[in-house]
Amino acid sequence: MPKMIIIECSDEEADRMVEQLKNMVAEYEYHPYHGPGKLYEFGTLRIDQPKQEVTLDGAAVDLTRREFELLGLLAEHPNRALPAAFLHNAVWTHPDSEHGEEEVAAYIAALREKLKLDQPGSPCRIVDEDTGRGPGYRFTCSAG
């Protein structure tokens, strides 16, 4: 529940406090992940960060911005389990700590479907894994 504090002060003091609050908020503000612009190739899966394109078997895969950023983070750290909370904080501008794991899970499910990662013979997978810091995901690929 939001709290309100009433402070009586001069206009100059109020301006100074507002400026201090703005600086504090800016210091702790979340910034969405923007990949360094690499190109990843895992067999027939190609992730082109500079062009913001993903292709599978040469065909373009239509991903949302968040799906693309999540995939980029996972591809940047192959075979390493990344906590859902980390992924959420890295990709969402203003993460919702109450629903973060659920949001990430929904986007991971969409990635699995769009990239056909659950189909037999798919060389790549996004594996659910307990990271010790909560649920997470690990991108594995036998081709690369």
Side-chain angles (χ1 to χ4, degrees):
M1 171 170 254
K3 299 192 185 239
M4 181 170 66
I5 298 173
I6 298 174
I7 301 173
E8 292 185 17
C9 60
S10 70
D11 287 347
E12 290 171 19
E13 290 172 310
D15 289 342
R16 253 193 325 272
M17 279 195 239
V18 166
E19 204 54 43
Q20 286 176 333
L21 285 170
K22 283 181 183 177
N23 290 336
M24 286 171 53
V25 168
E27 184 177 336
Y28 293 104
E29 190 172 286
Y30 288 101
H31 300 285
Y33 169 79
H34 297 288
K38 294 184 180 179
L39 175 67
Y40 299 97
E41 292 191 55
F42 302 98
T44 61
L45 175 62
R46 187 170 195 265
I47 305 162
D48 189 333
Q49 287 181 322
K51 292 182 180 179
Q52 295 192 357
E53 293 176 349
V54 175
T55 57
L56 182 62
D57 296 321
V61 179
D62 186 27
L63 299 181
T64 67
R65 180 184 57 82
R66 286 194 176 131
E67 289 167 346
F68 182 81
E69 290 175 357
L70 279 172
L71 181 61
L73 271 171
L74 291 167
E76 188 175 332
H77 303 283
N79 301 312
R80 183 170 163 207
L82 300 177
F86 165 78
L87 293 169
H88 193 253
N89 287 337
V91 173
W92 274 255
T93 307
H94 298 287
D96 171 5
S97 59
E98 186 177 328
H99 300 101
E101 290 176 9
E102 295 166 9
E103 285 182 305
V104 172
Y107 279 84
I108 293 293
L111 279 171
R112 286 176 173 146
E113 184 178 328
K114 289 179 178 183
L115 299 174
K116 303 174 183 165
L117 299 178
D118 290 333
Q119 288 188 353
S122 174
C124 299
R125 299 252 186 262
I126 297 176
V127 180
D128 294 18
E129 192 166 306
D130 183 6
T131 66
R133 294 183 358 205
Y137 301 94
R138 181 171 42 91
F139 180 76
T140 63
C141 209
S142 60

